[in-house]
Amino acid sequence: MKKARAKRGQTSSKTQVPRHEVDNKNKPAAGPPSHSSSGVGGMTRVDSKTEEPSAGRLRELIRYVETRQPAMVQSIRRMVEMESPSHHKKSVDLLGERLAQAFREINGDVQFHRAANFGAHLQVDFAADSKRPPVLLLGHFDTVWDLGTLASMPFREVDGRLWGPGVLDMKSGIAQMIFAIEALRTTGGKLPRPVTVLLVTDEEVGSESSRPITEAVAKKCGAVLVVEPSYGLEGALKTARKGVGDYTLKVKGRAAHAGLDFEKGASAILELSKQLVEIAKFTDLKQGITVNAGVVRGGTRANVIPDEAESEIDLRIAAAGQAKILDRKFRALKPFDTRCQLEISGGINRPPLERTEKVVGLFRTAQKIAAEIGWNLGEASVGGGSDGNFTAGLGIPTLDGLGAVGEGAHARNESVLISELVRRTALLARLIEEV
Ligand SMILES: [Zn+2]
């Protein structure tokens, strides 16, 4: 997040970068810093034997980002140390201002989309001398961690990793965006095409307020690169994500004294229990459908037949067509005890990100770029949703999981591998050029 400008006057013998002005807003020209003495060599795994001749551009970007690795770590640290739980508007807005500043420093045109109950969503547009449609870099800066988490889980750099709340999901990904754009501007003299960055503030709680913005912005873009964490320590990209639904089942029964009037009562808890057994049958692992009743509530005292009970149910689907079928099943539930009433609410809130040809096409491009340096990039299909589900659902080519490599998202061991930051940032930059 710190000012991201290369020092002037340094030259590189190998990169042969044009040294013209990098922008049109009265900023000084940025020449490429020397790559030879960065002191971070060996941070990227490159196999020279399998290297393709076209690897030059990726290598050039890697060399540049290597020189910026310390600044990148600093930037991630600053972000992690500004806690930003989805529901704490004030602290999320503070981080939003800091991010806006960082993007302005690399010449982004910043605008905020205000939201009543969440921090303002941040959109940054980068213009370019190109008729190509913009690429959307998509992410979020809210986290699942409450204010004060830093006290027991401070930012630290240990064992080749960065640790702390939100470091993987997805503050390192935001740093990748900033430094990928900087790398393109510095090594190429300008951006190869327009780029839009959209960072929302309610992704961890369902993206209700940001979804229309994400969809409207994505519709203007040729491709969407989602900089959410990659999958596993291998850093696989995500070419399929499940769709997500939330349902609440409320049961109304009849209250009665459990001893005096047992037969007059209709237990809402008993009815709910039977319904949950039925609902569990909706799970079809082969089809990628899972149902989980994660919360139950009901009753008042042991000696009262309960007249109210409810459950919150999480649904995951693999294909868009399954949404209607499952929704019908939920709404077709009938009470076992006809004295009870069922009330079902909710629905699918994220469509699945399906592994369509458009998605696979983007993945192949990424794979080909990586292969140029002998980097074998894999793909994964995951159960969790992201905002990429919305853009893929609109038919816009979307590639997810381009962010950091690490583990422990939403867990106390949340961490990212420092050694992967550089080449993943360079890959992101190359994708902006290529897709
Ligand atoms: Zn995330």
Side-chain angles (χ1 to χ4, degrees), residues 140 169-170 203-204 228-229 410:
H140 61 92
D169 188 6
M170 54 160 279
E203 197 275 345
E204 296 291 6
E228 289 271 6
H410 300 195

Side-chain angles (χ1 to χ4, degrees), residues 65-134:
V65 182
E66 271 177 356
T67 68
R68 302 290 288 147
Q69 184 179 293
M72 215 175 154
V73 170
Q74 244 342 85
S75 156
I76 295 167
R77 174 180 200 136
R78 285 201 187 88
M79 280 186 255
V80 171
E81 290 185 341
M82 292 183 74
E83 294 178 303
S84 52
S86 315
H87 288 298
H88 203 280
K89 180 173 165 57
K90 203 173 150 199
S91 42
V92 174
D93 276 333
L94 270 177
L95 178 55
E97 283 299 335
R98 286 288 287 271
L99 291 172
Q101 186 55 28
F103 281 107
R104 281 190 196 106
E105 284 166 1
I106 51 170
N107 243 37
D109 187 5
V110 168
Q111 58 172 303
F112 283 107
H113 300 270
R114 305 281 164 198
N117 301 316
F118 297 98
H121 311 297
L122 174 63
Q123 179 180 344
V124 190
D125 293 298
F126 294 87
D129 263 346
S130 163
K131 295 262 180 293
R132 296 165 72 193

Side-chain angles (χ1 to χ4, degrees), residues 139-140 142-144 168-170 203-204 226-229 238 241 385-387 409-410:
H140 61 92
D142 61 321
T143 77
V144 297
L168 174 62
D169 188 6
M170 54 160 279
E203 197 275 345
E204 296 291 6
V226 186
V227 197
E228 289 271 6
K238 294 171 179 173
R241 277 183 183 273
S386 85
D387 289 340
H410 300 195

